[in-house]
Amino acid sequence: MTAPGYTRILLKLSGEALMGEGTYGVDRDVVHRIACEIKEVNDAGVQVSVVIGGGNIFRGMAKAAEGMDRATADYMGMLATVMNALALQDALEHLGLPTRVQSALHIEQVAEPYIRRRAIRHLERGRVVIFGAGTGNPFFTTDTAASLRAMEINAQIVLKGTKVDGVYTDDPVTHPEAMRYRELSYQQVLEQDLQVMDATAITLCRDNDMPIIVFSINKPGALMRVVLGEEEGTSVRKEISS
């Protein structure tokens, strides 16, 4: 088998990735499949950390959040990410893979507080670390949390698992003629407003030269192919080949 191209990664999952064909909530079969793919990568010797969004839970409460103070709504969203982190932890541990959830909000009964050095130590011992509650601050997305945590733990790359297999010139669902980008620079993403990640997250990655690969988490084996360095999804980095 080809050796993995990375020793430590940060996987960013949207909350929507966990809900399968449902309109909100968590699909256990989908979470189990994602857990199996993470375990395969971990078994190959790659240290895996994860950041998950909370849209699959919070979208079910969207009506109640209308008119709510933005900071309060954001804190509710952070709690939703912790729920998703616990669901993924349970699935991973059912596969025999030791996992730790670290939360940026203190919820000691269900998760460790986020401590950078402890997170790195867990990774070095072969445990998967799931970061919950975003950055712990309102007004920042989980994309930004993923970029920040990747820098802090010295990950080599951010892998963003989405419902589509990369970044396209247009929405491939409504525009079948849309073309997938193989490579993009950070500046192209920002200038063309390509919605890879929010501008704060992209800028943070650009300023710290942290590469990003956007791929489909729904495509079987895609995560392992990305880790092995095979062509999969869209690569975002400082310089691209002409």
Side-chain angles (χ1 to χ4, degrees), residues 7-9 42 45-50 89 93 97-103 111-131 153:
T7 56
R8 181 178 296 167
I9 65 172
N42 183 269
V46 179
Q47 298 171 16
V48 184
S49 60
V50 186
Q89 178 187 42
E93 293 193 334
L97 186 56
T99 307
R100 298 291 187 272
V101 172
Q102 290 199 344
S103 171
E112 295 180 2
Y114 170 65
I115 299 174
R116 173 182 174 269
R117 292 175 67 90
R118 183 182 292 176
I120 292 172
R121 185 62 175 151
H122 286 321
L123 292 167
E124 291 172 343
R125 291 184 173 183
R127 299 165 184 154
V128 172
V129 180
I130 307 171
F131 300 114
I153 65 168

mmCIF file of all heavy atoms in Angstrom, residues 7-9 42 45-50 89 93 97-103 111-131 153:
data_model
loop_
_atom_site.group_PDB
_atom_site.id
_atom_site.type_symbol
_atom_site.label_atom_id
_atom_site.label_comp_id
_atom_site.label_asym_id
_atom_site.label_seq_id
_atom_site.Cartn_x
_atom_site.Cartn_y
_atom_site.Cartn_z
ATOM 1 N N THR A 7 1.068 12.996 8.107
ATOM 2 C CA THR A 7 1.127 12.312 9.397
ATOM 3 C C THR A 7 0.092 12.841 10.379
ATOM 4 O O THR A 7 -0.287 12.147 11.315
ATOM 5 C CB THR A 7 2.528 12.454 10.031
ATOM 6 O OG1 THR A 7 2.851 13.852 10.137
ATOM 7 C CG2 THR A 7 3.582 11.763 9.175
ATOM 8 N N ARG A 8 -0.389 14.078 10.150
ATOM 9 C CA ARG A 8 -1.412 14.655 11.037
ATOM 10 C C ARG A 8 -2.337 15.541 10.216
ATOM 11 O O ARG A 8 -1.881 16.460 9.531
ATOM 12 C CB ARG A 8 -0.770 15.458 12.169
ATOM 13 C CG ARG A 8 -1.784 16.059 13.151
ATOM 14 C CD ARG A 8 -1.084 16.809 14.276
ATOM 15 N NE ARG A 8 -0.273 15.893 15.082
ATOM 16 C CZ ARG A 8 0.636 16.288 15.960
ATOM 17 N NH1 ARG A 8 0.873 17.586 16.130
ATOM 18 N NH2 ARG A 8 1.323 15.405 16.658
ATOM 19 N N ILE A 9 -3.624 15.267 10.284
ATOM 20 C CA ILE A 9 -4.599 16.020 9.501
ATOM 21 C C ILE A 9 -5.692 16.585 10.401
ATOM 22 O O ILE A 9 -5.914 16.094 11.514
ATOM 23 C CB ILE A 9 -5.260 15.149 8.411
ATOM 24 C CG1 ILE A 9 -6.096 14.021 9.043
ATOM 25 C CG2 ILE A 9 -4.213 14.592 7.451
ATOM 26 C CD1 ILE A 9 -6.942 13.235 8.075
ATOM 27 N N ASN A 42 -6.749 6.327 10.317
ATOM 28 C CA ASN A 42 -6.000 6.222 11.564
ATOM 29 C C ASN A 42 -5.157 4.948 11.600
ATOM 30 O O ASN A 42 -3.992 4.971 12.020
ATOM 31 C CB ASN A 42 -6.968 6.270 12.750
ATOM 32 C CG ASN A 42 -6.265 6.245 14.093
ATOM 33 O OD1 ASN A 42 -6.041 5.178 14.665
ATOM 34 N ND2 ASN A 42 -5.929 7.413 14.614
ATOM 35 N N GLY A 45 -1.757 4.951 10.146
ATOM 36 C CA GLY A 45 -0.702 5.682 10.828
ATOM 37 C C GLY A 45 -0.843 7.185 10.799
ATOM 38 O O GLY A 45 0.084 7.905 11.185
ATOM 39 N N VAL A 46 -2.001 7.682 10.358
ATOM 40 C CA VAL A 46 -2.225 9.128 10.287
ATOM 41 C C VAL A 46 -2.952 9.593 11.550
ATOM 42 O O VAL A 46 -3.940 8.981 11.969
ATOM 43 C CB VAL A 46 -3.069 9.493 9.046
ATOM 44 C CG1 VAL A 46 -3.310 10.995 8.989
ATOM 45 C CG2 VAL A 46 -2.387 9.008 7.779
ATOM 46 N N GLN A 47 -2.459 10.650 12.162
ATOM 47 C CA GLN A 47 -3.117 11.221 13.337
ATOM 48 C C GLN A 47 -4.280 12.090 12.855
ATOM 49 O O GLN A 47 -4.095 12.984 12.028
ATOM 50 C CB GLN A 47 -2.118 12.048 14.147
ATOM 51 C CG GLN A 47 -0.961 11.227 14.693
ATOM 52 C CD GLN A 47 0.124 12.081 15.313
ATOM 53 O OE1 GLN A 47 -0.086 13.264 15.620
ATOM 54 N NE2 GLN A 47 1.298 11.500 15.517
ATOM 55 N N VAL A 48 -5.482 11.812 13.374
ATOM 56 C CA VAL A 48 -6.698 12.461 12.867
ATOM 57 C C VAL A 48 -7.359 13.314 13.945
ATOM 58 O O VAL A 48 -7.666 12.838 15.041
ATOM 59 C CB VAL A 48 -7.716 11.422 12.365
ATOM 60 C CG1 VAL A 48 -8.934 12.124 11.760
ATOM 61 C CG2 VAL A 48 -7.085 10.478 11.345
ATOM 62 N N SER A 49 -7.588 14.572 13.621
ATOM 63 C CA SER A 49 -8.416 15.447 14.447
ATOM 64 C C SER A 49 -9.606 15.877 13.601
ATOM 65 O O SER A 49 -9.540 15.875 12.372
ATOM 66 C CB SER A 49 -7.625 16.657 14.941
ATOM 67 O OG SER A 49 -7.153 17.412 13.841
ATOM 68 N N VAL A 50 -10.705 16.238 14.275
ATOM 69 C CA VAL A 50 -11.951 16.534 13.563
ATOM 70 C C VAL A 50 -12.619 17.768 14.163
ATOM 71 O O VAL A 50 -12.626 17.955 15.385
ATOM 72 C CB VAL A 50 -12.940 15.346 13.651
ATOM 73 C CG1 VAL A 50 -14.183 15.608 12.788
ATOM 74 C CG2 VAL A 50 -12.271 14.030 13.244
ATOM 75 N N GLN A 89 -17.910 10.428 18.335
ATOM 76 C CA GLN A 89 -17.071 9.724 19.311
ATOM 77 C C GLN A 89 -17.646 8.341 19.604
ATOM 78 O O GLN A 89 -16.916 7.344 19.650
ATOM 79 C CB GLN A 89 -16.973 10.532 20.605
ATOM 80 C CG GLN A 89 -16.147 9.828 21.694
ATOM 81 C CD GLN A 89 -16.195 10.561 23.018
ATOM 82 O OE1 GLN A 89 -17.258 11.040 23.438
ATOM 83 N NE2 GLN A 89 -15.055 10.682 23.676
ATOM 84 N N GLU A 93 -15.716 4.822 18.896
ATOM 85 C CA GLU A 93 -15.366 3.912 19.991
ATOM 86 C C GLU A 93 -16.051 2.564 19.849
ATOM 87 O O GLU A 93 -15.534 1.552 20.318
ATOM 88 C CB GLU A 93 -15.664 4.577 21.329
ATOM 89 C CG GLU A 93 -14.737 5.780 21.564
ATOM 90 C CD GLU A 93 -14.736 6.307 22.974
ATOM 91 O OE1 GLU A 93 -15.750 6.115 23.681
ATOM 92 O OE2 GLU A 93 -13.729 6.937 23.362
ATOM 93 N N LEU A 97 -11.813 2.418 18.389
ATOM 94 C CA LEU A 97 -10.834 3.478 18.202
ATOM 95 C C LEU A 97 -10.949 4.488 19.345
ATOM 96 O O LEU A 97 -11.964 5.163 19.487
ATOM 97 C CB LEU A 97 -11.061 4.181 16.864
ATOM 98 C CG LEU A 97 -10.045 5.233 16.418
ATOM 99 C CD1 LEU A 97 -8.639 4.660 16.380
ATOM 100 C CD2 LEU A 97 -10.432 5.777 15.048
ATOM 101 N N PRO A 98 -9.930 4.610 20.197
ATOM 102 C CA PRO A 98 -10.010 5.559 21.315
ATOM 103 C C PRO A 98 -10.137 6.992 20.810
ATOM 104 O O PRO A 98 -9.427 7.402 19.888
ATOM 105 C CB PRO A 98 -8.693 5.339 22.073
ATOM 106 C CG PRO A 98 -7.781 4.677 21.092
ATOM 107 C CD PRO A 98 -8.647 3.889 20.167
ATOM 108 N N THR A 99 -11.061 7.717 21.404
ATOM 109 C CA THR A 99 -11.406 9.053 20.915
ATOM 110 C C THR A 99 -11.616 9.997 22.084
ATOM 111 O O THR A 99 -12.131 9.594 23.127
ATOM 112 C CB THR A 99 -12.703 8.993 20.071
ATOM 113 O OG1 THR A 99 -12.553 8.011 19.050
ATOM 114 C CG2 THR A 99 -13.018 10.326 19.432
ATOM 115 N N ARG A 100 -11.214 11.238 21.910
ATOM 116 C CA ARG A 100 -11.451 12.266 22.925
ATOM 117 C C ARG A 100 -12.188 13.435 22.291
ATOM 118 O O ARG A 100 -11.846 13.863 21.188
ATOM 119 C CB ARG A 100 -10.126 12.764 23.514
ATOM 120 C CG ARG A 100 -9.318 11.688 24.231
ATOM 121 C CD ARG A 100 -9.976 11.230 25.522
ATOM 122 N NE ARG A 100 -9.122 10.323 26.259
ATOM 123 C CZ ARG A 100 -9.098 8.992 26.075
ATOM 124 N NH1 ARG A 100 -9.886 8.437 25.163
ATOM 125 N NH2 ARG A 100 -8.292 8.246 26.814
ATOM 126 N N VAL A 101 -13.187 13.942 23.007
ATOM 127 C CA VAL A 101 -13.850 15.179 22.598
ATOM 128 C C VAL A 101 -13.316 16.296 23.486
ATOM 129 O O VAL A 101 -13.308 16.176 24.710
ATOM 130 C CB VAL A 101 -15.382 15.083 22.751
ATOM 131 C CG1 VAL A 101 -16.028 16.454 22.498
ATOM 132 C CG2 VAL A 101 -15.960 14.047 21.804
ATOM 133 N N GLN A 102 -12.845 17.368 22.854
ATOM 134 C CA GLN A 102 -12.412 18.553 23.584
ATOM 135 C C GLN A 102 -13.316 19.718 23.195
ATOM 136 O O GLN A 102 -13.493 19.996 22.008
ATOM 137 C CB GLN A 102 -10.950 18.883 23.290
ATOM 138 C CG GLN A 102 -9.974 17.881 23.878
ATOM 139 C CD GLN A 102 -8.567 18.438 23.976
ATOM 140 O OE1 GLN A 102 -8.227 19.447 23.361
ATOM 141 N NE2 GLN A 102 -7.726 17.778 24.758
ATOM 142 N N SER A 103 -13.880 20.365 24.186
ATOM 143 C CA SER A 103 -14.826 21.443 23.934
ATOM 144 C C SER A 103 -14.232 22.797 24.296
ATOM 145 O O SER A 103 -13.569 22.951 25.330
ATOM 146 C CB SER A 103 -16.101 21.220 24.757
ATOM 147 O OG SER A 103 -16.953 22.347 24.686
ATOM 148 N N ALA A 111 -17.177 16.277 28.097
ATOM 149 C CA ALA A 111 -16.020 16.534 27.218
ATOM 150 C C ALA A 111 -14.891 17.185 27.998
ATOM 151 O O ALA A 111 -15.128 17.910 28.967
ATOM 152 C CB ALA A 111 -16.431 17.434 26.048
ATOM 153 N N GLU A 112 -13.674 16.927 27.553
ATOM 154 C CA GLU A 112 -12.524 17.611 28.130
ATOM 155 C C GLU A 112 -12.542 19.080 27.691
ATOM 156 O O GLU A 112 -13.035 19.396 26.606
ATOM 157 C CB GLU A 112 -11.214 17.005 27.603
ATOM 158 C CG GLU A 112 -10.954 15.581 27.989
ATOM 159 C CD GLU A 112 -9.624 15.083 27.409
ATOM 160 O OE1 GLU A 112 -8.913 15.875 26.742
ATOM 161 O OE2 GLU A 112 -9.304 13.909 27.635
ATOM 162 N N PRO A 113 -11.994 19.971 28.500
ATOM 163 C CA PRO A 113 -11.794 21.336 28.002
ATOM 164 C C PRO A 113 -10.700 21.313 26.937
ATOM 165 O O PRO A 113 -9.824 20.440 26.969
ATOM 166 C CB PRO A 113 -11.329 22.102 29.249
ATOM 167 C CG PRO A 113 -10.721 21.054 30.129
ATOM 168 C CD PRO A 113 -11.517 19.797 29.885
ATOM 169 N N TYR A 114 -10.771 22.243 25.988
ATOM 170 C CA TYR A 114 -9.734 22.290 24.965
ATOM 171 C C TYR A 114 -8.421 22.749 25.572
ATOM 172 O O TYR A 114 -8.322 23.852 26.114
ATOM 173 C CB TYR A 114 -10.122 23.225 23.811
ATOM 174 C CG TYR A 114 -8.955 23.454 22.881
ATOM 175 C CD1 TYR A 114 -8.429 22.403 22.141
ATOM 176 C CD2 TYR A 114 -8.326 24.702 22.801
ATOM 177 C CE1 TYR A 114 -7.326 22.590 21.313
ATOM 178 C CE2 TYR A 114 -7.229 24.896 21.970
ATOM 179 C CZ TYR A 114 -6.734 23.830 21.236
ATOM 180 O OH TYR A 114 -5.631 24.004 20.436
ATOM 181 N N ILE A 115 -7.412 21.904 25.500
ATOM 182 C CA ILE A 115 -6.053 22.237 25.937
ATOM 183 C C ILE A 115 -5.128 21.762 24.820
ATOM 184 O O ILE A 115 -5.067 20.562 24.513
ATOM 185 C CB ILE A 115 -5.681 21.544 27.267
ATOM 186 C CG1 ILE A 115 -6.633 21.998 28.383
ATOM 187 C CG2 ILE A 115 -4.230 21.836 27.641
ATOM 188 C CD1 ILE A 115 -6.454 21.264 29.693
ATOM 189 N N ARG A 116 -4.452 22.702 24.214
ATOM 190 C CA ARG A 116 -3.649 22.406 23.022
ATOM 191 C C ARG A 116 -2.659 21.269 23.245
ATOM 192 O O ARG A 116 -2.611 20.311 22.469
ATOM 193 C CB ARG A 116 -2.917 23.675 22.578
ATOM 194 C CG ARG A 116 -1.924 23.452 21.442
ATOM 195 C CD ARG A 116 -1.190 24.727 21.073
ATOM 196 N NE ARG A 116 -0.150 24.445 20.098
ATOM 197 C CZ ARG A 116 1.109 24.147 20.420
ATOM 198 N NH1 ARG A 116 1.466 24.114 21.696
ATOM 199 N NH2 ARG A 116 1.988 23.891 19.475
ATOM 200 N N ARG A 117 -1.854 21.345 24.286
ATOM 201 C CA ARG A 117 -0.815 20.342 24.504
ATOM 202 C C ARG A 117 -1.421 18.959 24.782
ATOM 203 O O ARG A 117 -0.879 17.936 24.372
ATOM 204 C CB ARG A 117 0.116 20.778 25.640
ATOM 205 C CG ARG A 117 0.965 21.999 25.265
ATOM 206 C CD ARG A 117 1.796 22.491 26.433
ATOM 207 N NE ARG A 117 2.821 21.518 26.807
ATOM 208 C CZ ARG A 117 4.059 21.481 26.302
ATOM 209 N NH1 ARG A 117 4.415 22.386 25.395
ATOM 210 N NH2 ARG A 117 4.929 20.593 26.697
ATOM 211 N N ARG A 118 -2.548 18.945 25.475
ATOM 212 C CA ARG A 118 -3.206 17.661 25.732
ATOM 213 C C ARG A 118 -3.740 17.074 24.433
ATOM 214 O O ARG A 118 -3.660 15.867 24.207
ATOM 215 C CB ARG A 118 -4.340 17.838 26.743
ATOM 216 C CG ARG A 118 -5.032 16.526 27.115
ATOM 217 C CD ARG A 118 -6.182 16.743 28.080
ATOM 218 N NE ARG A 118 -5.708 17.171 29.388
ATOM 219 C CZ ARG A 118 -6.514 17.497 30.387
ATOM 220 N NH1 ARG A 118 -7.837 17.478 30.208
ATOM 221 N NH2 ARG A 118 -6.028 17.861 31.554
ATOM 222 N N ALA A 119 -4.302 17.922 23.571
ATOM 223 C CA ALA A 119 -4.802 17.448 22.278
ATOM 224 C C ALA A 119 -3.678 16.813 21.467
ATOM 225 O O ALA A 119 -3.842 15.730 20.883
ATOM 226 C CB ALA A 119 -5.436 18.600 21.504
ATOM 227 N N ILE A 120 -2.535 17.471 21.427
ATOM 228 C CA ILE A 120 -1.393 16.936 20.678
ATOM 229 C C ILE A 120 -0.940 15.605 21.269
ATOM 230 O O ILE A 120 -0.630 14.660 20.537
ATOM 231 C CB ILE A 120 -0.239 17.960 20.663
ATOM 232 C CG1 ILE A 120 -0.634 19.182 19.812
ATOM 233 C CG2 ILE A 120 1.046 17.334 20.132
ATOM 234 C CD1 ILE A 120 0.342 20.336 19.886
ATOM 235 N N ARG A 121 -0.941 15.517 22.591
ATOM 236 C CA ARG A 121 -0.533 14.265 23.244
ATOM 237 C C ARG A 121 -1.497 13.136 22.890
ATOM 238 O O ARG A 121 -1.070 11.998 22.632
ATOM 239 C CB ARG A 121 -0.470 14.469 24.758
ATOM 240 C CG ARG A 121 0.068 13.267 25.529
ATOM 241 C CD ARG A 121 1.488 12.973 25.125
ATOM 242 N NE ARG A 121 2.055 11.903 25.951
ATOM 243 C CZ ARG A 121 2.991 11.069 25.558
ATOM 244 N NH1 ARG A 121 3.486 11.168 24.318
ATOM 245 N NH2 ARG A 121 3.466 10.149 26.350
ATOM 246 N N HIS A 122 -2.790 13.417 22.881
ATOM 247 C CA HIS A 122 -3.772 12.396 22.477
ATOM 248 C C HIS A 122 -3.476 11.897 21.066
ATOM 249 O O HIS A 122 -3.503 10.691 20.789
ATOM 250 C CB HIS A 122 -5.190 12.972 22.518
ATOM 251 C CG HIS A 122 -5.749 13.155 23.895
ATOM 252 N ND1 HIS A 122 -5.549 12.263 24.916
ATOM 253 C CD2 HIS A 122 -6.542 14.141 24.404
ATOM 254 C CE1 HIS A 122 -6.186 12.684 26.010
ATOM 255 N NE2 HIS A 122 -6.791 13.822 25.717
ATOM 256 N N LEU A 123 -3.205 12.839 20.157
ATOM 257 C CA LEU A 123 -2.924 12.468 18.770
ATOM 258 C C LEU A 123 -1.673 11.601 18.682
ATOM 259 O O LEU A 123 -1.652 10.599 17.953
ATOM 260 C CB LEU A 123 -2.762 13.726 17.907
ATOM 261 C CG LEU A 123 -4.043 14.560 17.692
ATOM 262 C CD1 LEU A 123 -3.701 15.917 17.101
ATOM 263 C CD2 LEU A 123 -5.017 13.813 16.801
ATOM 264 N N GLU A 124 -0.654 11.961 19.421
ATOM 265 C CA GLU A 124 0.588 11.196 19.409
ATOM 266 C C GLU A 124 0.372 9.771 19.915
ATOM 267 O O GLU A 124 1.108 8.856 19.528
ATOM 268 C CB GLU A 124 1.652 11.899 20.257
ATOM 269 C CG GLU A 124 2.153 13.207 19.638
ATOM 270 C CD GLU A 124 3.054 14.002 20.557
ATOM 271 O OE1 GLU A 124 3.055 13.720 21.786
ATOM 272 O OE2 GLU A 124 3.751 14.903 20.062
ATOM 273 N N ARG A 125 -0.637 9.587 20.757
ATOM 274 C CA ARG A 125 -0.940 8.258 21.291
ATOM 275 C C ARG A 125 -1.941 7.488 20.419
ATOM 276 O O ARG A 125 -2.419 6.429 20.807
ATOM 277 C CB ARG A 125 -1.481 8.384 22.715
ATOM 278 C CG ARG A 125 -0.423 8.841 23.714
ATOM 279 C CD ARG A 125 -0.955 8.862 25.126
ATOM 280 N NE ARG A 125 0.116 9.146 26.087
ATOM 281 C CZ ARG A 125 -0.049 9.170 27.401
ATOM 282 N NH1 ARG A 125 -1.268 8.979 27.917
ATOM 283 N NH2 ARG A 125 0.968 9.427 28.207
ATOM 284 N N GLY A 126 -2.250 8.039 19.267
ATOM 285 C CA GLY A 126 -3.117 7.334 18.330
ATOM 286 C C GLY A 126 -4.595 7.540 18.537
ATOM 287 O O GLY A 126 -5.418 6.848 17.925
ATOM 288 N N ARG A 127 -4.964 8.485 19.389
ATOM 289 C CA ARG A 127 -6.390 8.756 19.624
ATOM 290 C C ARG A 127 -6.892 9.790 18.626
ATOM 291 O O ARG A 127 -6.166 10.703 18.253
ATOM 292 C CB ARG A 127 -6.595 9.284 21.050
ATOM 293 C CG ARG A 127 -6.168 8.315 22.132
ATOM 294 C CD ARG A 127 -6.040 9.009 23.473
ATOM 295 N NE ARG A 127 -5.543 8.081 24.489
ATOM 296 C CZ ARG A 127 -4.876 8.457 25.578
ATOM 297 N NH1 ARG A 127 -4.632 9.740 25.792
ATOM 298 N NH2 ARG A 127 -4.463 7.547 26.446
ATOM 299 N N VAL A 128 -8.142 9.640 18.226
ATOM 300 C CA VAL A 128 -8.785 10.673 17.413
ATOM 301 C C VAL A 128 -9.262 11.767 18.366
ATOM 302 O O VAL A 128 -9.826 11.480 19.426
ATOM 303 C CB VAL A 128 -9.978 10.102 16.627
ATOM 304 C CG1 VAL A 128 -10.760 11.221 15.927
ATOM 305 C CG2 VAL A 128 -9.501 9.088 15.605
ATOM 306 N N VAL A 129 -9.026 13.020 18.010
ATOM 307 C CA VAL A 129 -9.470 14.145 18.826
ATOM 308 C C VAL A 129 -10.524 14.931 18.048
ATOM 309 O O VAL A 129 -10.284 15.344 16.915
ATOM 310 C CB VAL A 129 -8.304 15.076 19.207
ATOM 311 C CG1 VAL A 129 -8.812 16.242 20.050
ATOM 312 C CG2 VAL A 129 -7.232 14.303 19.967
ATOM 313 N N ILE A 130 -11.691 15.093 18.667
ATOM 314 C CA ILE A 130 -12.785 15.844 18.047
ATOM 315 C C ILE A 130 -12.944 17.148 18.812
ATOM 316 O O ILE A 130 -13.147 17.143 20.030
ATOM 317 C CB ILE A 130 -14.101 15.059 18.071
ATOM 318 C CG1 ILE A 130 -13.914 13.660 17.472
ATOM 319 C CG2 ILE A 130 -15.192 15.813 17.316
ATOM 320 C CD1 ILE A 130 -15.105 12.747 17.660
ATOM 321 N N PHE A 131 -12.819 18.258 18.102
ATOM 322 C CA PHE A 131 -12.933 19.572 18.725
ATOM 323 C C PHE A 131 -14.369 20.072 18.606
ATOM 324 O O PHE A 131 -14.892 20.229 17.498
ATOM 325 C CB PHE A 131 -11.980 20.565 18.063
ATOM 326 C CG PHE A 131 -10.535 20.172 18.165
ATOM 327 C CD1 PHE A 131 -9.799 19.843 17.029
ATOM 328 C CD2 PHE A 131 -9.898 20.120 19.399
ATOM 329 C CE1 PHE A 131 -8.470 19.485 17.117
ATOM 330 C CE2 PHE A 131 -8.566 19.761 19.502
ATOM 331 C CZ PHE A 131 -7.842 19.443 18.363
ATOM 332 N N ILE A 153 -2.439 22.690 16.452
ATOM 333 C CA ILE A 153 -1.935 21.329 16.679
ATOM 334 C C ILE A 153 -0.872 20.936 15.656
ATOM 335 O O ILE A 153 -0.429 19.799 15.607
ATOM 336 C CB ILE A 153 -3.073 20.296 16.660
ATOM 337 C CG1 ILE A 153 -3.721 20.217 15.270
ATOM 338 C CG2 ILE A 153 -4.108 20.594 17.741
ATOM 339 C CD1 ILE A 153 -4.649 19.037 15.091
#
